[in-house]
Amino acid sequence: MARSLRWLALAGGLAPLLFQVVLVIEENLQRRFLLSIGFDPLKSSFPSANALGPLGWMQTLNFILLGVLVIGFAYALHQGIRGGSAAGPICISIVGACMIVAGLFPTDLPVSSPPHTFHGLVHALAFIIASLGTLVGYVLLGLRFRSDSFWRGYDLFSSATALVSVLAFVGANLVKGVVIAYAFAGMRVIWFAVVGLRLWSASAPIGAPRTGVF
């Protein structure tokens, strides 16, 4: 049991990085299509547009795989932190569920317009909930890290990640700059990787039995 949870921790911790790598590959392979629908990856950040192209299945699977791995990561998190509330891991699992939904319900064309179909609306809502859930998850898990001496210092790391991510998220929506938008995604990659590697090393805490609904 401990070994399987460690693998969930490692796979989930690296999932956002894998998502970004696949995204970069897709954007290069589909660059002509993306430009034809009015989206330039070098000027803005909108991963969902890749699901509309000839290789759209790659982005669909990319979303779904990310969601599944993040849900597994949330479970490993709950098992790997002694004490505290399950609210933080639940937030992260909701983020994972939203990624699966985003894969199953593609965005609308044109990419610059508000959603005008049911699947486009569901996709947009999934993105909003996932973004907010990520930020709230950072904060709640930061608080939970304080309950376990094994995670000493990670509470500050998680809180700092939340603060930088909020600034990047607000900046991306105000300035519409691709660098700021990718900064938000970059903080997610860093947080998941750092916490995931810590979980990987926590074989004893992860193997300990837990109680509760999550």
Side-chain angles (χ1 to χ4, degrees), residues 141-181:
L141 282 164
L143 295 174
R144 183 167 177 181
F145 287 145
R146 298 178 182 178
S147 66
D148 190 341
S149 60
F150 181 81
W151 290 93
R152 184 176 293 112
Y154 282 78
D155 55 332
L156 297 177
F157 167 70
S158 196
S159 298
T161 301
L163 177 60
V164 174
S165 297
V166 167
L167 294 176
F169 184 77
V170 173
N173 284 277
L174 291 178
V175 182
K176 304 297 183 182
V178 65
V179 174
I180 300 177

Side-chain angles (χ1 to χ4, degrees), residues 5 8-9 12 66-78 93:
L5 287 172
L8 282 178
L66 174 63
V68 171
L69 292 179
V70 167
I71 291 174
F73 182 76
Y75 177 71
L77 265 177
H78 181 61
S93 67

